[in-house]
Amino acid sequence: MASKAPAWDPAFWRGKRVLLTGHTGFKGAWLAAWLVKLGAHVTGFSLPAPGRQSQAWDFVGAELAARGLADRRGNINGGHGNNGLDDAVAAADADIVLHLAAQAIVLDSYTAPVDTWQTNVMGTLQLLQALARHGKSCAFVGVTSDKCYDNKGWAWGYREIDPLGGKDPYSASKAACEILLASWRASFSESTGIAVASARAGNVIGGGDNSAHRIVPDLVRAFAAGEAAHIRNPASTRPYQHVLEPLSGYMLLARFLHEQPQRFAQAYNFGPDAGGEQRTDRLARAVAAQWGTSARLTMNEAPAGPAEAQFLMLDSSKARKDLAWMPTWNVEQAVAATVAWHKTALDHPQQASAETLRQIERYETDS
């Protein structure tokens, strides 16, 4: 087992050069805020279109830039020399790369399968090749998804040794990305000095996610507008967790990968404790209860829309054993923090950035 050390140890992160892709997304904005708080030198690389930014980035981005985050924009799909990726890699000169950029919505993958595969698979390869051209050894954590597993509808959690697969384009692209990362690690890690690990996390909730077709953003939009929120697939069960949970796992994996690249260049799951999975209708009711009496829900009696797996769990015992990682907040705490952030953003938007930092500090204290 790795020695017990917090993922957010400032003694490790202070002064580290970090390249963070997808830094304007939901997870990316929270991770950027955490890394900057710890004193890392962060270069972010994300798509230029403002519409692809998260609400979290809208509130924290300016402050992070003022505190030294290098906000670079481009497309990882553009190829060598014409998309700004090589320039960002050179400018970052990274010790650690955290690769979060992705097409991350299952339903969108049905309408944009080419973009989904291109971004999630070939975009990852373009980034790895750009890092290899730069010629500096580094630790690379590629973030995929719990949906990379061939979902059998099991009543137990998937382990890192279970078969990869995916029926919908998003899930299949994430399984393919895992195969790519394993292949690149076996073929090029030794010659390039780039240690490659992958991180597979469950469904995350938290302040500042404004994505379409996700349960909490859909709830918040409806409740803020005084409308009833409609739940498409109330019986679907997912490993819901606060966004800070997997981020702490990514940071811990990056730390150990940087310190012992041969030992930790593997795949790791980061999910809630056994029994921490949650039906979507129960999660929706918990959010509505925290929101207040004005929150209203309507539910489909049967699943609606393109096919999505109804049941999914992760087994994170490997991360517990190898990294000494474990979840901190249960789903009730995650819901309370999420609603508190969104109410702050609605009622006192000038305080949303400070609320983000407060929640990070509270999570650190609780861990």
Short mmCIF file of all heavy atoms in Angstrom, two decimals, residues 102-138:
data_model
loop_
_atom_site.label_atom_id
_atom_site.label_comp_id
_atom_site.label_asym_id
_atom_site.label_seq_id
_atom_site.Cartn_x
_atom_site.Cartn_y
_atom_site.Cartn_z
N ALA A 102 -12.84 16.01 -23.18
CA ALA A 102 -13.61 14.89 -23.74
C ALA A 102 -14.97 15.37 -24.20
O ALA A 102 -15.43 16.44 -23.80
CB ALA A 102 -13.79 13.79 -22.68
N GLN A 103 -15.61 14.56 -25.06
CA GLN A 103 -17.04 14.67 -25.30
C GLN A 103 -17.67 13.76 -24.27
O GLN A 103 -17.56 12.54 -24.36
CB GLN A 103 -17.40 14.24 -26.72
CG GLN A 103 -18.82 14.65 -27.16
CD GLN A 103 -19.95 14.06 -26.31
OE1 GLN A 103 -20.44 14.70 -25.37
NE2 GLN A 103 -20.36 12.84 -26.61
N ALA A 104 -18.33 14.33 -23.27
CA ALA A 104 -18.64 13.59 -22.04
C ALA A 104 -20.12 13.25 -21.85
O ALA A 104 -20.49 12.77 -20.78
CB ALA A 104 -18.15 14.40 -20.84
N ILE A 105 -20.96 13.46 -22.85
CA ILE A 105 -22.40 13.25 -22.67
C ILE A 105 -22.86 12.04 -23.50
O ILE A 105 -22.66 12.02 -24.72
CB ILE A 105 -23.19 14.50 -23.08
CG1 ILE A 105 -22.68 15.73 -22.33
CG2 ILE A 105 -24.68 14.31 -22.82
CD1 ILE A 105 -22.82 15.66 -20.83
N VAL A 106 -23.46 11.06 -22.83
CA VAL A 106 -23.89 9.84 -23.52
C VAL A 106 -24.88 10.17 -24.64
O VAL A 106 -24.73 9.71 -25.78
CB VAL A 106 -24.51 8.85 -22.52
CG1 VAL A 106 -25.12 7.66 -23.26
CG2 VAL A 106 -23.46 8.36 -21.53
N LEU A 107 -25.92 10.95 -24.35
CA LEU A 107 -26.95 11.22 -25.36
C LEU A 107 -26.38 11.99 -26.54
O LEU A 107 -26.77 11.76 -27.69
CB LEU A 107 -28.12 11.97 -24.74
CG LEU A 107 -28.98 11.17 -23.75
CD1 LEU A 107 -30.14 12.00 -23.24
CD2 LEU A 107 -29.49 9.88 -24.38
N ASP A 108 -25.44 12.90 -26.30
CA ASP A 108 -24.83 13.64 -27.41
C ASP A 108 -24.03 12.72 -28.32
O ASP A 108 -23.85 13.02 -29.51
CB ASP A 108 -23.91 14.74 -26.87
CG ASP A 108 -24.67 15.92 -26.30
OD1 ASP A 108 -25.92 15.94 -26.43
OD2 ASP A 108 -24.04 16.81 -25.71
N SER A 109 -23.55 11.60 -27.79
CA SER A 109 -22.77 10.69 -28.63
C SER A 109 -23.63 10.02 -29.70
O SER A 109 -23.10 9.56 -30.72
CB SER A 109 -22.08 9.63 -27.76
OG SER A 109 -22.98 8.63 -27.30
N TYR A 110 -24.94 9.96 -29.50
CA TYR A 110 -25.82 9.41 -30.52
C TYR A 110 -25.99 10.37 -31.70
O TYR A 110 -26.13 9.94 -32.84
CB TYR A 110 -27.19 9.09 -29.93
CG TYR A 110 -27.23 7.82 -29.11
CD1 TYR A 110 -27.11 7.85 -27.73
CD2 TYR A 110 -27.40 6.58 -29.72
CE1 TYR A 110 -27.15 6.69 -26.98
CE2 TYR A 110 -27.45 5.41 -28.97
CZ TYR A 110 -27.32 5.47 -27.60
OH TYR A 110 -27.36 4.32 -26.86
N THR A 111 -25.99 11.66 -31.43
CA THR A 111 -26.15 12.65 -32.49
C THR A 111 -24.81 13.09 -33.09
O THR A 111 -24.77 13.62 -34.19
CB THR A 111 -26.90 13.89 -31.96
OG1 THR A 111 -26.18 14.44 -30.85
CG2 THR A 111 -28.30 13.52 -31.51
N ALA A 112 -23.71 12.87 -32.35
CA ALA A 112 -22.38 13.28 -32.84
C ALA A 112 -21.38 12.16 -32.58
O ALA A 112 -20.40 12.34 -31.87
CB ALA A 112 -21.94 14.56 -32.16
N PRO A 113 -21.59 10.99 -33.19
CA PRO A 113 -20.67 9.87 -32.91
C PRO A 113 -19.26 10.11 -33.42
O PRO A 113 -18.29 9.70 -32.77
CB PRO A 113 -21.34 8.68 -33.62
CG PRO A 113 -22.21 9.29 -34.66
CD PRO A 113 -22.69 10.59 -34.09
N VAL A 114 -19.12 10.77 -34.56
CA VAL A 114 -17.78 11.00 -35.10
C VAL A 114 -16.99 11.93 -34.18
O VAL A 114 -15.83 11.67 -33.84
CB VAL A 114 -17.85 11.58 -36.53
CG1 VAL A 114 -16.45 11.97 -37.02
CG2 VAL A 114 -18.47 10.55 -37.48
N ASP A 115 -17.63 13.02 -33.74
CA ASP A 115 -16.96 13.94 -32.83
C ASP A 115 -16.62 13.24 -31.52
O ASP A 115 -15.55 13.46 -30.94
CB ASP A 115 -17.87 15.15 -32.55
CG ASP A 115 -17.25 16.11 -31.55
OD1 ASP A 115 -16.23 16.73 -31.88
OD2 ASP A 115 -17.80 16.25 -30.44
N THR A 116 -17.51 12.38 -31.04
CA THR A 116 -17.26 11.67 -29.79
C THR A 116 -16.03 10.77 -29.89
O THR A 116 -15.13 10.82 -29.05
CB THR A 116 -18.50 10.82 -29.41
OG1 THR A 116 -19.61 11.70 -29.22
CG2 THR A 116 -18.25 10.02 -28.14
N TRP A 117 -15.97 9.97 -30.94
CA TRP A 117 -14.83 9.08 -31.12
C TRP A 117 -13.56 9.88 -31.41
O TRP A 117 -12.49 9.57 -30.89
CB TRP A 117 -15.11 8.10 -32.26
CG TRP A 117 -15.91 6.91 -31.82
CD1 TRP A 117 -17.26 6.85 -31.67
CD2 TRP A 117 -15.41 5.64 -31.47
NE1 TRP A 117 -17.64 5.61 -31.25
CE2 TRP A 117 -16.52 4.83 -31.13
CE3 TRP A 117 -14.14 5.07 -31.43
CZ2 TRP A 117 -16.39 3.50 -30.72
CZ3 TRP A 117 -14.00 3.75 -31.03
CH2 TRP A 117 -15.12 2.98 -30.68
N GLN A 118 -13.68 10.89 -32.24
CA GLN A 118 -12.50 11.69 -32.60
C GLN A 118 -11.90 12.36 -31.38
O GLN A 118 -10.69 12.32 -31.16
CB GLN A 118 -12.89 12.75 -33.64
CG GLN A 118 -11.74 13.60 -34.16
CD GLN A 118 -10.82 12.85 -35.10
OE1 GLN A 118 -11.25 11.89 -35.74
NE2 GLN A 118 -9.57 13.26 -35.17
N THR A 119 -12.74 12.96 -30.54
CA THR A 119 -12.25 13.67 -29.36
C THR A 119 -11.72 12.70 -28.31
O THR A 119 -10.61 12.88 -27.79
CB THR A 119 -13.38 14.52 -28.77
OG1 THR A 119 -13.79 15.48 -29.74
CG2 THR A 119 -12.90 15.25 -27.51
N ASN A 120 -12.50 11.68 -28.00
CA ASN A 120 -12.16 10.83 -26.87
C ASN A 120 -11.01 9.86 -27.16
O ASN A 120 -10.29 9.49 -26.23
CB ASN A 120 -13.40 10.06 -26.41
CG ASN A 120 -14.46 10.97 -25.85
OD1 ASN A 120 -14.23 12.16 -25.63
ND2 ASN A 120 -15.65 10.44 -25.63
N VAL A 121 -10.85 9.47 -28.41
CA VAL A 121 -9.79 8.53 -28.74
C VAL A 121 -8.63 9.24 -29.45
O VAL A 121 -7.52 9.32 -28.94
CB VAL A 121 -10.33 7.37 -29.60
CG1 VAL A 121 -9.21 6.36 -29.90
CG2 VAL A 121 -11.48 6.67 -28.89
N MET A 122 -8.89 9.78 -30.64
CA MET A 122 -7.81 10.40 -31.41
C MET A 122 -7.29 11.67 -30.74
O MET A 122 -6.09 11.98 -30.83
CB MET A 122 -8.28 10.70 -32.82
CG MET A 122 -8.59 9.44 -33.63
SD MET A 122 -7.23 8.24 -33.63
CE MET A 122 -5.94 9.17 -34.45
N GLY A 123 -8.15 12.40 -30.04
CA GLY A 123 -7.68 13.57 -29.31
C GLY A 123 -6.69 13.19 -28.23
O GLY A 123 -5.69 13.88 -28.01
N THR A 124 -6.95 12.07 -27.56
CA THR A 124 -6.01 11.58 -26.55
C THR A 124 -4.67 11.20 -27.19
O THR A 124 -3.60 11.52 -26.66
CB THR A 124 -6.61 10.37 -25.81
OG1 THR A 124 -7.84 10.76 -25.19
CG2 THR A 124 -5.65 9.83 -24.76
N LEU A 125 -4.74 10.54 -28.35
CA LEU A 125 -3.52 10.18 -29.05
C LEU A 125 -2.75 11.42 -29.50
O LEU A 125 -1.51 11.48 -29.40
CB LEU A 125 -3.84 9.28 -30.24
CG LEU A 125 -2.66 8.81 -31.08
CD1 LEU A 125 -1.64 8.05 -30.23
CD2 LEU A 125 -3.13 7.95 -32.25
N GLN A 126 -3.46 12.42 -30.01
CA GLN A 126 -2.80 13.66 -30.43
C GLN A 126 -2.05 14.30 -29.26
O GLN A 126 -0.92 14.79 -29.41
CB GLN A 126 -3.83 14.66 -30.97
CG GLN A 126 -4.52 14.25 -32.26
CD GLN A 126 -3.67 14.49 -33.50
OE1 GLN A 126 -2.48 14.80 -33.40
NE2 GLN A 126 -4.29 14.34 -34.65
N LEU A 127 -2.66 14.28 -28.08
CA LEU A 127 -2.01 14.86 -26.90
C LEU A 127 -0.76 14.08 -26.53
O LEU A 127 0.30 14.66 -26.26
CB LEU A 127 -3.00 14.90 -25.74
CG LEU A 127 -2.44 15.37 -24.39
CD1 LEU A 127 -1.86 16.78 -24.48
CD2 LEU A 127 -3.53 15.30 -23.31
N LEU A 128 -0.86 12.76 -26.49
CA LEU A 128 0.30 11.94 -26.15
C LEU A 128 1.44 12.15 -27.14
O LEU A 128 2.62 12.25 -26.76
CB LEU A 128 -0.10 10.47 -26.10
CG LEU A 128 -0.89 10.04 -24.86
CD1 LEU A 128 -1.53 8.68 -25.08
CD2 LEU A 128 0.00 10.01 -23.63
N GLN A 129 1.10 12.24 -28.42
CA GLN A 129 2.14 12.45 -29.43
C GLN A 129 2.78 13.83 -29.29
O GLN A 129 3.99 13.99 -29.48
CB GLN A 129 1.54 12.27 -30.83
CG GLN A 129 1.16 10.83 -31.15
CD GLN A 129 2.34 9.87 -31.08
OE1 GLN A 129 2.48 9.11 -30.14
NE2 GLN A 129 3.22 9.92 -32.07
N ALA A 130 1.97 14.83 -28.96
CA ALA A 130 2.52 16.17 -28.74
C ALA A 130 3.48 16.17 -27.55
O ALA A 130 4.54 16.82 -27.59
CB ALA A 130 1.39 17.18 -28.53
N LEU A 131 3.12 15.45 -26.51
CA LEU A 131 4.01 15.35 -25.34
C LEU A 131 5.31 14.63 -25.72
O LEU A 131 6.39 15.02 -25.28
CB LEU A 131 3.30 14.61 -24.21
CG LEU A 131 2.14 15.36 -23.55
CD1 LEU A 131 1.30 14.40 -22.72
CD2 LEU A 131 2.64 16.51 -22.70
N ALA A 132 5.19 13.59 -26.53
CA ALA A 132 6.39 12.87 -26.96
C ALA A 132 7.29 13.78 -27.79
O ALA A 132 8.52 13.75 -27.65
CB ALA A 132 6.00 11.63 -27.75
N ARG A 133 6.70 14.59 -28.67
CA ARG A 133 7.51 15.53 -29.47
C ARG A 133 8.22 16.54 -28.59
O ARG A 133 9.33 16.98 -28.88
CB ARG A 133 6.62 16.26 -30.49
CG ARG A 133 6.17 15.40 -31.65
CD ARG A 133 5.54 16.23 -32.75
NE ARG A 133 4.27 16.83 -32.37
CZ ARG A 133 3.08 16.25 -32.50
NH1 ARG A 133 3.00 15.02 -32.99
NH2 ARG A 133 1.98 16.87 -32.14
N HIS A 134 7.57 16.92 -27.48
CA HIS A 134 8.18 17.89 -26.58
C HIS A 134 9.41 17.32 -25.90
O HIS A 134 10.35 18.05 -25.58
CB HIS A 134 7.16 18.35 -25.53
CG HIS A 134 7.68 19.36 -24.57
ND1 HIS A 134 8.18 20.58 -24.98
CD2 HIS A 134 7.80 19.34 -23.21
CE1 HIS A 134 8.58 21.27 -23.92
NE2 HIS A 134 8.36 20.53 -22.84
N GLY A 135 9.41 16.03 -25.64
CA GLY A 135 10.61 15.36 -25.18
C GLY A 135 10.92 15.43 -23.70
O GLY A 135 12.05 15.19 -23.29
N LYS A 136 9.92 15.74 -22.87
CA LYS A 136 10.16 15.80 -21.43
C LYS A 136 9.42 14.66 -20.73
O LYS A 136 8.24 14.41 -21.00
CB LYS A 136 9.69 17.14 -20.86
CG LYS A 136 9.92 17.25 -19.35
CD LYS A 136 9.38 18.57 -18.80
CE LYS A 136 9.54 18.63 -17.28
NZ LYS A 136 8.99 19.87 -16.71
N SER A 137 10.09 14.00 -19.81
CA SER A 137 9.44 12.98 -19.01
C SER A 137 8.35 13.60 -18.15
O SER A 137 8.51 14.71 -17.63
CB SER A 137 10.45 12.27 -18.10
OG SER A 137 11.43 11.60 -18.86
N CYS A 138 7.23 12.90 -18.00
CA CYS A 138 6.14 13.42 -17.17
C CYS A 138 5.22 12.28 -16.78
O CYS A 138 5.32 11.16 -17.30
CB CYS A 138 5.35 14.51 -17.91
SG CYS A 138 4.50 13.94 -19.40
#
